[in-house]
């Protein structure tokens, strides 16, 4: 596979940036036109029943705001961070032989940054979810 020269990248006859830009513009124009046509032709008769929030067929009562404890959100954020980390590390593991020492140094730096972030969260008390015990 040969790299595409700078002049060929914008040529309409070669696959490259130019064709990607044209395709993106056409897709965005199509989506915008469909949204405009739907809003223009759509029927607009707001009634109290249509303006009520949809709750799976159940008439909503009371406040919709529930108080979730902070650890719930911390677990969700930590899961996302470590899930993305796992995806990067598994991807690196698949091509580790081809990347050689340069790839090993880069993934080591990445894991090191994650460990620094983990230690920072630990020192700031991000893992202290329950009540604290008094030391006697």
């Amino acid at each position: 596979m040969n790299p595409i020269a700078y002049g060929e990248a914008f040529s309409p006859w070669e696959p490259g940036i130019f064709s990607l830009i044209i395709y993106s513009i056409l897709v965005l124009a199509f989506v915008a036109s469909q949204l405009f046509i739907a809003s223009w032709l759509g029927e607009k008769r707001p009634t109290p029943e249509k303006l009520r929030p949809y709750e799976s067929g159940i008439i909503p009562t009371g406040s919709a705001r529930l108080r979730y404890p902070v650890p719930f959100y911390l677990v969700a954020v930590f899961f996302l961070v470590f899930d993305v980390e796992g995806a990067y590390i598994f991807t690196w593991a698949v091509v580790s032989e081809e990347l050689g020492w340069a790839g090993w140094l880069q993934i080591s730096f990445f894991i090191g940054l994650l460990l620094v972030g983990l230690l920072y969260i630990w020192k700031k008390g991000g893992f202290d979810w329950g009540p604290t015990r008094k030391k006697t």
Side-chain angles (χ1 to χ4, degrees):
M1 181 177 205
N2 296 330
I4 298 174
Y6 179 74
E8 294 176 359
F10 291 104
S11 170
W13 311 115
E14 294 289 330
I17 303 289
F18 182 75
S19 56
L20 178 65
I21 291 171
I22 295 297
Y23 178 74
S24 299
I25 290 171
L26 289 174
V27 166
L28 289 174
F30 177 74
V31 169
S33 68
Q34 293 298 307
L35 289 173
F36 173 74
I37 290 171
S39 67
W40 181 49
L41 293 178
E43 196 171 331
K44 297 170 189 73
R45 292 187 189 164
T47 63
E49 186 64 29
K50 288 182 182 177
L51 296 176
R52 184 182 308 171
Y54 181 72
E55 296 289 339
S56 302
I58 300 170
I59 297 174
T61 58
S63 175
R65 303 216 178 230
L66 297 175
R67 299 184 124 196
Y68 285 108
V70 172
F72 173 81
Y73 295 106
L74 288 175
V75 168
V77 169
F78 293 157
F79 172 76
L80 289 175
V81 168
F82 291 112
D83 190 41
V84 170
E85 168 195 353
Y88 281 127
I89 291 174
F90 285 134
T91 305
W92 170 80
V94 170
V95 293
S96 62
E97 288 183 11
E98 297 168 15
L99 294 176
W101 283 105
W104 186 85
L105 289 172
Q106 290 172 355
I107 200 68
S108 297
F109 179 73
F110 176 71
I111 291 172
L113 280 178
L114 288 170
L115 287 174
V116 167
L118 183 66
L119 290 173
Y120 177 78
I121 291 171
W122 195 346
K123 287 290 185 185
K124 288 292 186 176
F127 297 124
D128 299 334
W129 296 339
T132 57
R133 295 185 201 173
K134 292 183 181 179
K135 294 181 181 180
T136 56

